[in-house]
Structure formats: C-alpha cells, structure tokens
Amino acid sequence: MARWRPRAATATIWYLRLIALLNVVTVVLAPFRDQVETHNKNEYFTPYLMTAGLSSAVLSVFLAITMRRRKRAAWIFNTALAGLFALLYLLAMTLPGGNFTKHPLNYVSTVLTCGFVLALLIGRKEFTSKGDSSNPKTAAATFVAVLGFGGVVGAALVALTNELAGAADFWDMFRYSVGRMITIDATEHLRSVILVPTWVDTVINVMGAVFFVLVFYVAFRSPRDTELLTAEDEARIRGLLEKQGERDSLGYFALRRDKAVMFSPSGKAAVTYRVVGGVSLASGDPIGDPEAWPGAIDAWLSEAREHAWAPAVMGASEEAGVIYARHGLDALELGDEAIVELDEFSLDGRAMRVVRQAYNRVKRAGYTVRIRRHEEIPEYEMAELVAKADQWRDGATERGFSMALGRLGDPGDGRCVMLECHDAEGELKALLSFVPWGADGLSLDLMRRARDTENGLMEFMVIELLQRAREVNLARVSLNFAMFRSVFERGSKLGAGPVLRLWRSVLGFFSRWWQIESLYRANAKYRPIWEPRYLLFEKSSEIPRIGIASARAEGFITAPSLPALFRRRHRGPSGAEPRVPVAAQGGKG
C-alpha cells in the first residue's frame, strides 16, 4: 500500500481538477450546461461536484489546491461529502423498482464517485498537514454572513430588474438570490413571480463564487506561526553568532524579533524564518556550525510540511544553497551582495575617478562624519537619531526582512556601528547603521538622509568608514544587495542576446519604482567583490506565491487587513512556549 498511497492521493487531485474544468465549460457553453442541469434532476445524477455552476468550479479548484498541499481538513471534507454522495448513489442503484438503473450515465457517475472515495481512503496517510483549529468555526460563521449579505444584495438587484414588478415579496427575491449563489434552480413558484435578465443571474452567480472563495480560504487556510523569537531564543542565537558569526554577512539579521527559530537537535545550528501568506520564509544561511545545518533544516522543513507551509529561503549563499538542495529545494539566482575588502580598496586609479571626485566635492562643502558603536551613544542622543531616521524614512512602512534589523537604538544591539553625517553648520543630515559581521566585519542595515543634502553624500559616508576602518576594527563591509546584477552587467555588453536585452529593459522599467538598477550602479562604484545570493524553493509552481510573500515581508506590498471576523490572534513572545519539531524531538523551536 505504501507504493499506491501517493498515486491514489494524486488521482484525487486530478479528479478535482478535471471536475473544475468541466464545471467551467458548463458555465461557458449553454448546450453543455443544459445537459448537465438535465442530468441533475429526477432519475439522473452526475459525478461528485459535477454541476452547472461557477461556485462548484471554484470549490473544485480550492479543494484541488488544498489536497495538493496535503491538508488534512480538505481530505476530511472530501471524504465526508463524497462518501455521502457515493452512499446515496449506491442506494439509488440498488433500490428495487427504481428507474435509476435505466440510465447509463448513472453507472458512470456511481463508479467515478465511488472510485474517488476509494482513492481518498487509500491515500489517507498522505494528508498530514494540519490546519488552524479555529478554521471550521470561523468558516461556518463566514458562510452564514456572506450568504446573508449576498442574499440581500441579490434581492435588491432582482427588485430593480424584475419584469414582473410587484409579484414577488422580499423573501421570494432573497431565496431566489441565495439559490442562484449556490447554483440551485429556482422553484416553480419563484419562476412564476420573478423574471430577470440573464446578466442579473450571471452577476449573482459570480458574486456567490467570490464569496465562496472567501469561505473556502477561511476554511482551509494554513495556521499562522504563533511563536516569535523569545529572550531565550535570542540569547542562544547570539551564542551561535559569537562562534560562527563570520560565516554569513546576514547572520545578525536572524535576531529580528518578528521571526521564529528552529534549532537543530544538537542546538549547534538554527534556521530563523517568518510565516507570511502560507510561506515559511527563511533568510540567509542557517546560523551556527555547518555540520549541524542539516538537522536544523530538517526540523524547519518538517514543521513547514506539517502545517502545509511552502518552504522558501531568501538570500542564501552558495554554500548553504548546496546543503538546502540536498533536502529537496531548488535554487534560482536572486542577485549579488556587494562586499568590500579593506585590504583591496583604494580611491586611486582611473576606475575610481567619479567616486573620488564626489567624495572630494562633499568634503570641500564642509561635511563631516562621526563613527561610533551604538553602545557609545548616550540614550538621549540615540533617541534624537531614531527620531531623525523616522522623519527621513520614505513612507510609513519600515522595509526590510532578509537584510534589515527592523529596529534602531535597541539596547541589545550595542555592537552595531552608527555613522552620523553633519554639514558645515553642524546640522545632522544623514545616518548609516551597520550590524556586526563576525569580529571584524560590518553589514549595512539602514540608510537615511535629509532630502536637501548634497549628491554623493552616501558615497562620502561609506568611503569615510572604509578609510577610518581602524576606529572600529574593520576588515570587510557588506553593502547593499543588487538584485539581478548579472542581467544589468551582461545585458549592456556588446553581443548580448535579444532575450537578455529584453530582460534588462523590463528590469530597467521597474527600476523607476523599486531602484533595482540604481542599487547595482551605487554598489558597483566601490569595485566590490560580488557574492551571489539565491532564492530556494521546493516547487516551481510556488514561485509566484513565494514572490508575493517575500514582497510582503520586505515591506514592498502591504496586505489589506481583514475584518475582525476573519482575523486570528497572534500570540506574542511572552506567551511563547518551546516547540519540539517533528523531525528533531530533541530540538527547540
């Protein structure tokens, strides 16, 4: 049976996909729709979920998606409903004196429905992903709410367009609207008092499909991760960073407190992540000893599969990408990180002429830079710097996830480095903040400046840091991440192919809003070492979903908030309790 279980589970998914396609065809083609409606009446019946409505098509699509994600709730729903249909069909076909056996299509419907149920039973152990315990209750409340709201809206639309004015009361119109929303034919009484244009029925049917999308989403959505970084977790991660922090320039960003953490069974490695839109989104490399990385990765992947989260990693290095690939993840090059080695950096030479000129121009204007560790800044001064940084922020959303700490001036980040740039009059004009990268490295965290400053001010501050590296015991600096750097670099060269040039043009167009090309140009000035970073994913079909989740995590997309009825409470760090991952019973989540 172990060999047949995955095949049976896959068969149920393809059955639902086929039914969804046929339901869409019935909506589009009137003759086919009439045939299906005829075979759903009197002595006929059709296979499980085969109707002539858009709502059934939406339901089939949703069930196919959730079954592909191996959600237990979807299996229970299909088994209960399809099992009931199969039982009714078998009773109808075996009742003595019945006319159901006279129609060949009824045999086909019975075989297909019973086969679907049999496949569900065989593949039962394949559907192990947990749902949110509050989903059934919330979905039931949502169903009642949208049915009532849709019935009222549909009744109003019917009242405005009914050609038999005055023949139907509100209750008649409400029942007609609700019936159309769930693709139930109107009774003879309703047909005698209501006559509306075809487009009204279509609008009501589409409205019902949209509402049921919401109901299905609430019913089958994956649970949120309610565990955030606790004080104990943070202390353990800091301990790992002290031992292995020089391996990854993004390591310190694992201390973001809006992340969760999964440790390896030995406790020597950890994966930090956040669940966004059903995606378990990790960032950077695992923290700690590379020999313990597989244990942490196994624990993280086991939890993701247990809750039907799509696993993904943003900004992994090539070393980590190879290890993730051994665990079934595929890789897509995301871009390059700009790293400046102090022993190789110089302002001399023709290649640095533009940067050198910008630096000298800003310096002659009287600007100066002050470099301090955060722990050296008095509390009242730090409060002023934080206020200035908030004032200069572009927009209300704090952007960053994989390469930003998301907090400035926190007492726990005393080893971070602050650069303050003042003009000739001593007024603060710009800030740069860097997080530690091992014992002798820094990684850029935050860049803020006033809008009325000199061009080249940021370059001036970075070069000041590089030239005064001894003040903070600095040997290397990680600057901004340049997405799709190779496209811009190769696409501008002689002999670049048409596809590469087109891709470069597309990215250049979007750079008007997201600064994709400008970040590459700004980093390239320092002649850095380019370290490739990768996006890791399990299934290519999940890439659009992962892309949206990444954009939400980084702050580029703000998801609209749901009404209180549909929201789930998110438990903070203080209420967090240690989790034991499925694949690592000795680990700590």
Side-chain angles (χ1 to χ4, degrees):
M1 293 297 295
R3 184 176 62 180
W4 283 99
R5 285 189 193 115
R7 297 177 182 177
T10 302
T12 61
I13 297 168
W14 279 105
Y15 173 87
L16 292 170
R17 289 172 175 172
L18 178 61
I19 291 297
L21 177 62
L22 292 176
N23 281 324
V24 171
V25 172
T26 61
V27 174
V28 176
L29 300 179
F32 190 26
R33 179 171 63 250
D34 295 339
Q35 288 292 326
V36 173
E37 289 177 346
T38 300
H39 285 85
N40 270 319
K41 298 175 182 177
N42 302 324
E43 300 172 355
Y44 297 93
F45 49 81
T46 56
Y48 171 64
L49 289 184
M50 184 65 192
T51 67
L54 192 59
S55 297
S56 299
V58 172
L59 175 60
S60 302
V61 169
F62 252 79
L63 289 175
I65 293 173
T66 52
M67 293 284 282
R68 184 175 62 85
R69 294 175 184 170
R70 299 296 192 262
K71 292 194 177 184
R72 187 72 175 175
W75 181 88
I76 294 172
F77 179 89
N78 276 306
T79 302
L81 190 59
L84 178 61
F85 273 87
L87 181 61
L88 293 175
Y89 291 174
L90 288 173
L91 289 175
M93 297 298 288
T94 56
L95 284 176
N99 295 323
F100 293 99
T101 57
K102 297 179 180 180
H103 309 291
L105 183 61
N106 290 347
Y107 287 97
V108 176
S109 299
T110 303
V111 170
L112 288 176
T113 304
C114 292
F116 179 71
V117 174
L118 180 62
L120 285 170
L121 296 176
I122 294 175
R124 176 179 63 87
K125 292 185 178 180
E126 292 291 310
F127 301 93
T128 57
S129 298
K130 297 179 180 179
D132 196 301
S133 58
S134 65
N135 283 357
K137 180 172 61 177
T138 309
T142 306
F143 177 79
V144 173
V146 300
L147 206 63
F149 177 76
V152 171
V153 174
L157 191 59
V158 170
L160 293 174
T161 58
N162 189 7
E163 298 179 11
L164 303 175
D169 56 20
F170 175 80
W171 179 241
D172 290 334
M173 293 183 287
F174 181 84
R175 286 190 297 150
Y176 181 87
S177 178
V178 170
R180 284 295 179 185
M181 287 175 63
I182 57 180
T183 64
I184 294 178
D185 286 341
T187 62
E188 184 176 349
H189 167 68
L190 292 179
R191 286 196 299 269
S192 66
V193 296
I194 295 176
L195 181 62
V196 295
T198 304
W199 66 266
V200 174
D201 291 337
T202 302
V203 169
I204 294 175
N205 198 248
V206 171
M207 180 177 62
V210 172
F211 285 158
F212 286 127
V213 165
L214 177 61
V215 174
F216 301 147
Y217 166 75
V218 171
F220 298 116
R221 60 185 171 177
S222 299
R224 283 185 179 180
D225 185 44
T226 57
E227 303 288 343
L228 299 178
L229 208 63
T230 65
E232 180 187 352
D233 293 333
E234 185 173 335
R236 294 180 66 183
I237 293 175
R238 289 186 184 275
L240 296 177
L241 289 173
E242 288 180 5
K243 298 177 182 178
Q244 302 281 347
E246 74 282 351
R247 301 193 66 90
D248 185 16
S249 62
L250 307 184
Y252 198 86
F253 300 124
L255 293 170
R256 284 182 64 106
R257 290 170 187 151
D258 57 357
K259 291 183 177 180
V261 60
M262 189 66 71
F263 288 93
S264 65
S266 65
K268 295 182 179 180
V271 173
T272 58
Y273 63 95
R274 187 201 299 176
V275 178
V276 183
V279 176
S280 182
L281 194 62
S283 60
D285 296 353
I287 306 299
D289 187 353
E291 293 185 0
W293 285 2
I297 294 172
D298 278 334
W300 170 63
L301 289 176
S302 295
E303 186 189 46
R305 288 161 184 160
E306 181 183 359
H307 295 94
W309 296 329
V313 185
M314 288 181 60
S317 69
E318 186 171 358
E319 178 185 9
V322 170
I323 298 178
Y324 275 111
R326 295 172 186 166
H327 290 75
L329 299 189
D330 204 352
L332 181 66
E333 187 171 343
L334 197 59
D336 296 85
E337 177 188 11
I339 297 176
V340 179
E341 297 283 352
L342 270 296
D343 56 359
E344 298 179 4
F345 176 77
S346 174
L347 276 179
D348 299 330
R350 183 175 179 82
M352 300 296 291
R353 180 170 58 88
V354 175
V355 179
R356 186 169 60 247
Q357 289 175 348
Y359 171 79
N360 291 330
R361 183 182 68 254
V362 176
K363 189 172 185 179
R364 286 194 300 269
Y367 285 85
T368 58
V369 173
R370 187 178 187 183
I371 303 176
R372 291 184 288 178
R373 296 277 182 183
H374 284 204
E375 61 192 7
E376 300 171 358
I377 304 176
E379 186 176 346
Y380 73 93
E381 286 189 34
M382 180 60 77
E384 294 176 357
L385 296 177
V386 172
K388 280 290 186 182
D390 291 339
Q391 177 184 340
W392 295 333
R393 183 171 58 201
D394 185 13
T397 303
E398 185 74 57
R399 291 182 177 176
F401 167 70
S402 57
M403 300 177 185
L405 194 58
R407 60 180 186 261
L408 184 63
D410 189 277
D413 302 321
R415 297 303 297 164
C416 294
V417 173
M418 180 76 78
L419 272 69
E420 307 155 51
C421 186
H422 297 82
D423 62 12
E425 286 75 32
E427 184 178 352
L428 184 66
K429 289 295 183 181
L431 293 173
L432 290 181
S433 183
F434 293 81
V435 299
W437 173 15
D440 58 359
L442 294 176
S443 186
L444 180 62
D445 172 34
L446 178 139
M447 301 176 67
R448 298 283 166 78
R449 70 169 187 168
R451 297 183 180 275
D452 58 346
T453 55
E454 293 273 348
N455 289 331
L457 188 62
M458 290 300 176
E459 290 86 344
F460 171 74
M461 296 177 70
V462 172
I463 293 172
E464 280 286 295
L465 174 65
L466 299 179
Q467 292 185 334
R468 297 160 57 185
R470 293 182 180 179
E471 296 183 20
V472 287
N473 187 31
L474 185 61
R476 53 187 176 170
V477 178
S478 170
L479 299 176
N480 272 320
F481 174 74
M483 291 187 64
F484 307 113
R485 178 197 67 88
S486 58
V487 175
F488 292 111
E489 188 172 273
R490 297 200 308 266
S492 61
K493 291 183 178 179
L494 182 67
V499 175
L500 186 59
R501 290 200 301 269
L502 176 62
W503 183 219
R504 182 177 181 273
S505 299
V506 171
L507 292 177
F509 173 76
F510 285 107
S511 293
R512 300 177 183 179
W513 296 277
W514 292 329
Q515 298 181 341
I516 301 174
E517 185 173 8
S518 60
L519 281 177
Y520 158 63
R521 301 295 179 192
N523 291 330
K525 296 176 182 178
Y526 307 105
R527 315 286 291 179
I529 299 171
W530 295 106
E531 292 289 343
R533 292 279 177 172
Y534 298 89
L535 171 67
L536 304 173
F537 53 92
E538 192 170 39
K539 298 176 182 177
S540 57
S541 59
E542 299 283 2
I543 290 180
R545 184 183 177 199
I546 293 169
I548 294 174
S550 302
R552 287 178 58 187
E554 295 288 354
F556 293 108
I557 296 177
T558 302
S561 59
L562 290 173
L565 173 66
F566 311 122
R567 289 200 299 265
R568 293 165 290 192
R569 295 188 180 275
H570 196 284
R571 185 151 47 91
S574 60
E577 297 178 356
R579 291 174 293 169
V580 181
V582 173
Q585 295 298 321
K588 160 86 166 51

